[in-house]
Amino acid sequence: MSPTVRTVSRKFRGAETMEGAGVRLRRMFGNSEVPLLDPFLLLDNFGSTNPEDYLAGFPWHPHRGIETVTYMLNGTTAHEDSLGNKGVIGSGDVQWMSAGSGIMHQEMPKRTEGLLSGFQLWVNLPHAQKMETPAYRGVDAATIPVLKEEDGREVKVIAGTYHGVEGPVRHIPVDPIYLDVRLAPGTEFEQPTKPGYTAFAQVMDGSGLFDPMGVPAVGEGPPTLYNGSIDPDAEAVSGPGHTVLYGDGDAVRIRAGDQGVRFLLVSGRPLHEPVAWYGPIVMNSREEIRQAVSDLQHGTFIRSKKVINEV
Ligand code: FE
């Protein structure tokens, strides 16, 4: 049987917001979209050529019940946490941090030449794992496989599997796919996605047809859409800053427009659990939130061995 290719169910354009100590960023989706993107809670896109937009950074703050996934595209972020990890997330690096029962960390973007940009995705943890021991994965860009194909396709596999190549981030409760995909003009990309799983694409550069309803069969020749007349407002076409949420199916199929396209493709197993969200803490019930706040007030928030003094 041929796969059921997913169609686009919704598109988000995000909204400007301020976070941390005054970092200007674009929130593609967040609290108000729950549970549409279950198990994904939030996606922030930070990006600026002006250091004043980000240098204040994200000083010491807590997390519990979630995973935060930082993918730096340009520039660097200095990072330090209550587990004793300390380092710099460089260009192309990924930090996949599981807060579990509680972590304190700070994330401070550093002044670099030109552009600083990247994404932070919040991935929910299932009830059974929300109070597990925190875990930190610093993934160096050099350890992330990149598949390059003759037609100009380039796929960076951060998590999940593409064409038999598995990304370095493994054993994540929601069984995610996290790919960074570049397509040359007019080329096509297909990726299996498990039925019932949530899948979305975040467009970074260029544009493309993300909905198979707008993708003519291969071999039918380039549609006129690509002859220099691509209409960025056409419903099937998505461009920079668009988040494309897919309906159910077992594959996604994307074709690049006449400038090519670069996007993140993310998929994961939905949890179908109640969400109680309080800032950087996401649990299942208000009682668990009250407990977290009480833990913060009484200095019992960090349950892992290493504890930092300054918060
Ligand atoms: Fe954080």
Side-chain angles (χ1 to χ4, degrees), residues 63-135:
H63 285 289
R64 176 180 282 181
I66 59 167
E67 301 188 305
T68 63
V69 180
T70 308
Y71 181 24
M72 290 299 292
L73 299 174
N74 297 283
T76 59
T77 291
H79 166 265
E80 196 173 343
D81 69 30
S82 53
L83 298 172
N85 298 299
K86 188 173 180 174
V88 172
I89 312 171
S91 220
D93 294 349
V94 174
Q95 182 206 79
W96 200 298
M97 196 274 290
S98 181
S101 61
I103 200 167
M104 289 277 181
H105 73 169
Q106 65 169 346
E107 304 156 286
M108 305 301 278
K110 289 172 103 173
R111 186 188 289 269
T112 48
E113 290 295 313
L115 186 67
L116 178 119
S117 69
F119 287 95
Q120 186 169 87
L121 175 70
W122 288 16
V123 183
N124 209 354
L125 282 168
H127 179 72
Q129 268 131 324
K130 280 189 181 292
M131 293 304 282
E132 289 280 288
T133 306

Side-chain angles (χ1 to χ4, degrees), residues 67-71 92-98 121 123 135-140 143-145 156-161 165-179 267:
E67 301 188 305
T68 63
V69 180
T70 308
Y71 181 24
D93 294 349
V94 174
Q95 182 206 79
W96 200 298
M97 196 274 290
S98 181
L121 175 70
V123 183
Y136 173 88
R137 291 175 184 81
V139 184
D140 199 82
T143 67
I144 303 173
K156 203 168 153 180
V157 189
I158 294 162
T161 302
V165 175
E166 197 182 0
V169 178
R170 293 169 195 177
H171 313 297
I172 301 295
V174 303
D175 186 25
I177 291 172
Y178 193 126
L179 308 176
S267 170

